[in-house]
Amino acid sequence: MPLLYPVLLAGGSGTRLWPLSRKSYPKQFSRLTGDETLFQSSVRRFKAPGYAPPLVLTNEDFRFIVIEQLAASHTDASGILIEPEGRNTAPAILAAAIWLLARDPDAVMIVAPSDHVIPDDTEFRAAIDAALPRALAGDLLTFGIRPDRPETGYGYLELASPDACNASEPQPLTRFVEKPDLAAAETLLAAGNVLWNAGIFLFTARAILEAFRAHAPELIPPVEAAVADAKDDLGFSRLAADPWSQVDDISVDYAIMERAKNLRVMPYSGAWSDLGGWQAVWQESEADETGTALSGEAYAIDCRDTLLRSETPGLRLVGIGLDDIVAVAMHDAVLVARKSQSQRVREAVDLLKAEGAAQATTFPRDHRPWGWFESLIVGQRFQVKRIHVKPGAALSLQSHHHRSEHWIVVEGTAKVTIDDEVKLVTENQSVYLPLGAVHRMENPGKVPMVLIEVQTGVYLGEDDIIRYEDVYSRT
């Protein structure tokens, strides 16, 4: 039996769960419904006999987050492909197929977004097993979810009859239905012969490549060139930027699935959610008898059908007399909305972008390959940061044009380089870095190192960095 390769799409940067999900740190890497992130749950879902380690597609900004979360899941990857820029799902899936065929001509691909909730891994893998014979026969399989409400946020798959939607084996597709308005969604639900389009696919790498040759041949040359000229670096494969920039931005549904004659639908009746908004998060959360769900240091008094989340330790969120409300509090941004209106959160992001607010896109904790930092206080000519450096990690050897820095170690030990001097700085000790000094900090210990950094200067932007050496190959 050929190996099944999970192909996890982890490059998206949606904002429907703002302020927790932002462009710099999207929802797939967040803990929304349990102790694992959505990405880690997706990895675990496919850790079973017959499955290869996952092939992950992501982008430059998230590559080290992927590595860190794979390590926390005790999982190696078959590969990590870095897309130079987002080009939608069709080019990403084609690149994965070409990459896999070069390594395993019999590879079977189970393509899945990494931000879905599927609580029952065993049941979902059973659906894959039921669909596998058709995939091995050369068909393309898409998974359809039995709907339980007239949802306007999903596309639909129409089958021949309600019985087909309840089948335990793949079924022919009658037609795709675009995301409907509420009245159309109610009509579809009443008809009983539709499934939600989950955006999860199963096929052999050979079959999907043949489908691209038949229906989207123009995508193949630039994607082949991007894969062929990919550069391996620190465990990643960076797809070549020049040919990738010539690839059309198109979804696999439009490019292939809506045109393919060998498409089949595998019905899935188990629980599933793409967590497409805060109402979906509320539905997946553990609520009390009043329908109120709490997360973090959040409290409710006389609330109903409400979601309260405090995402910052020490930030107490209290709701009183609320009904149909979502409140999500972080130390730099707070969202309060009617649950029934929470799909409009994109309007909030657009508003903040127009104001030039960093909160629109930038997560307060900035994740880097060596750890993370967060700004505690920002003034006109100063900034205070908390910096967390992982054991054995090191920042780049760098200097700044416009700022000087004080470092105060509060946990662990730092190995500090300032020009030609190298010294150890332990807890409760500090060091001064003059403007223009070439410097680096490292954590030589076995525990995380935390320091407080005080910056002073006329410009404090993150782009005021000249890197001389960097173990993470950043420019």
Side-chain angles (χ1 to χ4, degrees):
M1 182 69 68
L3 276 176
L4 276 74
Y5 289 83
V7 177
L8 300 181
L9 307 179
S13 55
T15 58
R16 290 182 292 175
L17 294 180
W18 185 90
L20 184 60
S21 176
R22 308 186 197 181
K23 182 179 179 181
S24 69
Y25 198 79
K27 67 174 181 175
Q28 59 264 32
F29 303 119
S30 299
R31 293 176 176 86
L32 281 161
T33 59
D35 294 332
E36 294 179 313
T37 69
L38 300 179
F39 175 78
Q40 289 171 323
S41 295
S42 299
V43 169
R44 175 179 46 77
R45 187 168 302 130
F46 301 112
K47 290 183 75 170
Y51 287 82
L55 172 63
V56 181
L57 285 96
T58 189
N59 62 39
E60 183 79 8
D61 293 338
F62 307 149
R63 66 197 191 283
F64 289 108
I65 301 174
V66 165
I67 284 287
E68 182 177 331
Q69 295 204 356
L70 284 170
S73 301
H74 307 288
T75 302
D76 293 323
S78 291
I80 301 174
L81 303 186
I82 306 299
E83 299 177 75
E85 54 187 310
R87 280 291 184 261
N88 217 316
T89 53
I93 291 170
L94 176 57
I98 293 169
W99 190 91
L100 284 170
L101 281 168
R103 292 155 178 80
D104 183 353
D106 297 320
V108 180
M109 302 167 60
I110 174 70
V111 179
S114 60
D115 57 0
H116 289 185
V117 172
I118 302 177
D120 194 329
D121 297 344
T122 301
E123 184 178 4
F124 185 69
R125 290 196 300 268
I128 294 173
D129 291 342
L132 186 57
R134 298 300 314 185
L136 295 177
D139 285 345
L140 310 180
L141 280 300
T142 186
F143 286 76
I145 309 299
R146 186 182 300 167
D148 59 8
R149 61 187 183 276
E151 176 62 56
T152 61
Y154 305 144
Y156 286 71
L157 305 168
E158 184 178 288
L159 305 188
S161 68
D163 287 343
C165 293
N166 296 319
S168 58
E169 59 186 19
Q171 300 294 307
L173 174 71
T174 300
R175 67 180 178 114
F176 284 90
V177 180
E178 294 293 327
K179 294 178 182 178
D181 59 25
L182 181 58
E186 290 172 342
T187 300
L188 290 168
L189 188 66
N193 64 330
V194 293
L195 301 170
W196 288 333
N197 186 356
I200 301 172
F201 307 99
L202 177 71
F203 34 65
T204 66
R206 284 176 174 167
I208 192 62
L209 184 56
E210 285 301 317
F212 274 97
R213 290 193 179 112
H215 305 295
E218 70 282 358
L219 296 178
I220 295 177
V223 174
E224 282 185 332
V227 175
D229 296 338
K231 303 298 183 185
D232 291 334
D233 177 30
L234 298 176
F236 310 106
S237 294
R238 299 174 183 269
L239 301 176
D242 286 345
W244 192 258
S245 68
Q246 302 168 28
V247 179
D248 292 338
D249 185 326
I250 186 170
S251 73
V252 74
D253 277 341
Y254 286 136
I256 303 299
M257 301 304 167
E258 294 187 6
R259 306 177 185 183
K261 303 301 182 184
N262 60 334
L263 179 69
R264 295 264 173 165
V265 178
M266 182 64 218
Y268 180 66
S269 59
W272 169 91
S273 175
D274 75 340
L275 291 187
W278 284 114
Q279 180 154 347
V281 174
W282 171 75
Q283 290 168 337
E284 295 298 323
S285 301
E286 292 186 10
D288 64 16
E289 65 277 3
T290 70
T292 300
L294 306 175
S295 178
E297 296 174 71
Y299 309 87
I301 300 172
D302 193 25
C303 295
R304 298 185 62 82
D305 296 333
T306 286
L307 176 67
L308 302 176
R309 294 180 66 108
S310 171
E311 300 294 341
T312 300
L315 194 161
R316 310 278 176 155
L317 174 63
V318 182
I320 302 175
L322 303 179
D323 188 0
D324 185 46
I325 293 295
V326 169
V328 182
M330 304 184 71
H331 82 254
D332 69 333
V334 177
L335 171 71
V336 181
R338 288 209 174 277
K339 187 155 47 63
S340 55
Q341 295 287 311
S342 59
Q343 286 286 355
R344 300 178 60 189
V345 71
R346 289 181 177 178
E347 296 176 35
V349 175
D350 291 341
L351 174 66
L352 293 176
K353 283 182 179 178
E355 293 292 323
Q359 289 93 331
T361 57
T362 304
F363 201 70
R365 182 169 289 183
D366 196 323
H367 290 261
R368 298 299 173 93
W370 43 260
W372 53 264
F373 70 83
E374 59 184 347
S375 294
L376 303 178
I377 305 173
V378 180
Q380 186 67 30
R381 293 173 60 95
F382 74 93
Q383 180 171 205
V384 181
K385 290 181 176 180
R386 174 166 54 183
I387 299 177
H388 181 284
V389 184
K390 295 182 290 189
L395 280 68
S396 61
L397 187 67
Q398 60 185 251
S399 66
H400 308 294
H401 282 306
H402 303 292
R403 70 176 184 254
S404 58
E405 298 172 345
H406 277 92
W407 292 345
I408 305 99
V409 177
V410 294
E411 293 181 28
T413 299
K415 180 181 178 182
V416 177
T417 300
I418 307 176
D419 292 327
D420 295 329
E421 181 183 7
V422 180
K423 61 182 178 180
L424 294 178
V425 182
T426 59
E427 289 183 12
N428 299 318
Q429 293 183 330
S430 64
V431 64
Y432 173 65
L433 291 84
L435 185 150
V438 177
H439 61 275
R440 189 204 314 260
M441 76 170 78
E442 305 172 58
N443 181 357
K446 302 294 185 182
V447 297
M449 183 268 288
V450 180
L451 61 82
I452 302 299
E453 177 182 88
V454 181
Q455 303 175 353
T456 57
V458 296
Y459 179 73
L460 306 173
E462 287 303 314
D463 55 349
D464 180 23
I465 295 179
I466 303 170
R467 286 194 173 100
Y468 303 97
E469 295 178 9
D470 184 39
V471 296
Y472 307 109
S473 299
R474 295 169 295 172
T475 56

